[in-house]
């Protein structure tokens, strides 16, 4: 850090030495110079959906009764499963792209800092795996190290199509799930590099077009997935393709709603969740384990209680996030992540407004 040096005690006749000022660098709008509310809202939406997805495996909810599949899990597969993790994965890639752009303004070796950030995330993920095997943070860190760091030397117009090609190849091979993560991370990284999020307010027509196309594609793939049983679905790429298009539809639909008066309701609810995405993602697991046990949901078929539990956890996290962010600049885990990334203690509390 550069501190101002006072020369108030220099002799009066001392020669004046002019030190040339460093050139002013203007940060891109997505480089971390300001938060983008729409991205935080999208993270909040993704967290709500991922919580629904994570509760059944954590509590080992059963899908069948009397050897027949229950209707709620089937509807769950159609509208929730694999519909939100693409949003979360893409936004993690966006976040890494924004971070690297901002780090480039602070240090001559931004990729070293990004490397440290990914390693710290891997540590978080390894610990979280103890509570929730199959969680997302560790794969994000691993694929970030293997894919994002090397590809970060390429421009956005290379990374974005390469990411899209990786996603298409995975779907063409009949797989999905975790293997979609590298392409989603890279596509998000490329979007951040392109600076598209700085002009979201000017892209209403493009967002509406993406919503229309993805909604139509979602209907087609949902119609294909509807008659599939669980075994057939696992062997097909149709559910993953449906999930990808529905993720786009959910995301662009929210972006469109945020352009209407509904923003006054949605933003205060979703943005605090998204600003503390790491903290809320991990604490949701802790709350699920604690309250799932109290409700007697382990190894049960209480799919109705799943939605009650998810709504309760989400409400707690909304209130907690709003209270916390009114007093602190970062969520608890976000602050630890930031300190470990930069290897220094960063300010935590929000500065109090100066009295006039």
């Amino acid at each position: 850090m550069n501190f101002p040096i006072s020369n108030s005690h220099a002799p009066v006749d001392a020669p004046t030495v002019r030190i040339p000022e460093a050139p002013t660098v203007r940060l891109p709008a997505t480089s971390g110079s300001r938060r983008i509310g729409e991205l935080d809202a999208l993270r909040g939406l993704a967290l709500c959906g991922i919580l629904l997805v994570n509760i059944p495996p954590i509590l080992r909810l059963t899908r069948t009764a009397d050897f027949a599949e229950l209707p709620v899990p089937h509807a769950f597969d159609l509208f929730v499963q694999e519909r939100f993790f693409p949003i979360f994965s893409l936004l993690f890639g966006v976040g890494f792209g924004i971070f690297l752009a901002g780090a480039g303004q602070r240090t001559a070796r931004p990729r070293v800092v990004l490397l440290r950030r990914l390693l710290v995330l891997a540590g978080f993920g390894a610990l979280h795996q103890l509570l929730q095997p199959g969680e997302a943070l560790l794969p994000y860190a691993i694929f970030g190290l293997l894919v994002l760091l090397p590809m970060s030397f390429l421009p956005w117009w290379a990374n974005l199509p390469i990411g899209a090609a990786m996603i298409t190849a995975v779907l063409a091979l009949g797989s999905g799930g975790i293997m979609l993560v590298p392409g989603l991370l890279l596509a998000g990284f490329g979007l951040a590099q392109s600076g598209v999020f700085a002009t979201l307010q000017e892209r209403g027509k493009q967002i509406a077009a993406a919503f229309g196309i993805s909604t139509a594609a979602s209907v087609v793939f949902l119609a294909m997935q509807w008659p599939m049983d669980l075994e057939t679905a696992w062997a097909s790429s149709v559910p993953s393709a449906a999930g990808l298009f529905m993720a786009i539809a959910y995301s662009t639909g929210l972006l469109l709603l945020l352009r209407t008066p509904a923003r006054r309701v949605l933003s205060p609810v979703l943005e605090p969740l998204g600003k503390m995405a790491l903290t809320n993602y991990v604490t949701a697991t802790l709350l699920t384990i604690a309250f799932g046990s109290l409700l007697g949901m382990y190894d049960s078929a209480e799919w109705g209680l799943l939605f009650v539990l998810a709504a309760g956890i989400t409400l707690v996290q909304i209130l907690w996030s709003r209270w916390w962010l009114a007093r602190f600049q970062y969520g608890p885990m976000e602050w630890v992540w930031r300190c470990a990334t930069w290897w220094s203690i960063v300010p935590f509390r929000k500065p109090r407004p100066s009295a006039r």
Side-chain angles (χ1 to χ4, degrees):
M1 297 179 65
N2 296 323
F3 296 93
I5 301 175
S6 171
N7 62 354
S8 59
H9 300 291
V12 176
D13 57 350
T16 301
V17 179
R18 295 184 62 84
I19 301 176
E21 295 182 356
T24 301
V25 180
R26 182 179 179 83
L27 289 174
T30 59
S31 68
S33 56
R34 66 175 180 87
R35 292 198 71 95
I36 299 173
E38 291 87 350
L39 291 182
D40 285 326
L42 285 172
R43 289 189 187 95
L45 173 68
L47 283 170
C48 293
I50 286 172
L51 174 60
L52 285 171
V53 171
N54 285 344
I55 289 176
I58 292 174
L59 300 182
R60 302 191 299 271
L61 296 186
T62 58
R63 299 175 57 92
T64 59
D66 298 326
F67 304 102
E69 185 176 19
L70 296 168
V72 174
H74 184 62
F76 192 84
D77 289 344
L78 293 173
F79 298 103
V80 181
Q81 189 74 30
E82 294 194 76
R83 277 50 175 167
F84 292 93
F85 100 87
I87 306 174
F88 205 47
S89 302
L90 186 87
L91 289 175
F92 255 87
V94 171
F96 289 135
I98 291 174
F99 174 83
L100 186 63
Q105 309 298 326
R106 297 180 56 179
T107 176
R109 305 176 70 186
R111 286 173 182 81
V112 173
V113 183
L114 178 59
L115 171 63
R116 192 156 58 228
R117 188 168 182 81
L118 289 166
L119 291 174
V120 175
L121 182 66
F124 286 151
L127 292 174
H128 193 213
Q129 285 274 349
L130 300 176
L131 296 173
Q132 185 198 330
E135 62 86 55
L137 301 181
L138 186 57
Y140 289 167
I142 293 172
F143 288 127
L145 292 168
L146 296 178
V147 177
L148 289 190
L149 268 179
M151 303 299 281
S152 67
F153 292 95
L154 297 180
W156 73 268
W157 47 263
N159 281 330
L160 196 52
I162 291 173
M166 292 169 67
I167 295 169
T168 303
V170 168
L171 294 176
L173 292 172
S175 56
I178 193 172
M179 295 312 299
L180 286 170
V181 170
L184 289 166
L185 287 176
L186 186 59
F189 190 87
L191 286 171
Q193 286 178 302
S194 73
V196 66
F197 298 108
T199 57
L200 275 180
Q201 291 300 317
E202 304 166 15
R203 298 181 180 273
K205 292 182 179 179
Q206 292 95 324
I207 294 171
F211 174 73
I213 294 170
S214 59
T215 300
S218 297
V219 171
V220 172
F221 281 101
L222 275 177
M224 296 170 64
Q225 183 181 349
W226 187 280
M228 289 183 175
D229 57 28
L230 188 60
E231 185 176 347
T232 304
W234 274 109
S236 171
S237 63
V238 169
S240 294
L244 190 62
F245 282 113
M246 291 186 74
I248 297 171
Y250 288 165
S251 300
T252 52
L254 176 60
L255 290 176
L256 291 175
L257 284 174
L258 291 175
R259 302 171 69 88
T260 71
R263 183 182 188 119
R264 292 195 293 268
V265 176
L266 293 172
S267 290
V269 171
L270 295 176
E271 286 186 27
L273 282 175
K275 288 177 182 177
M276 291 174 48
L278 179 61
T279 297
N280 287 326
Y281 177 68
V282 173
T283 56
T285 300
L286 299 172
L287 292 171
T288 296
I289 293 172
F291 287 102
S293 178
L294 288 175
L295 293 171
M297 293 178 64
Y298 273 94
D299 297 311
S300 73
E302 297 289 350
W303 286 83
L305 278 180
L306 178 151
F307 297 99
V308 175
L309 177 60
I313 291 174
T314 301
L315 178 60
V316 168
Q317 291 192 324
I318 290 170
L319 297 175
W320 143 261
S321 298
R322 287 176 60 85
W323 180 88
W324 185 274
L325 291 171
R327 293 158 177 79
F328 302 98
Q329 298 187 64
Y330 314 104
M333 291 191 66
E334 285 77 8
W335 179 74
V336 173
W337 195 15
R338 195 175 189 90
C339 292
T341 295
W342 290 104
W343 210 242
S344 64
I345 303 298
V346 299
F348 193 24
R349 284 189 172 273
K350 282 190 172 180
R352 293 183 179 179
S354 56
R356 296 192 176 185

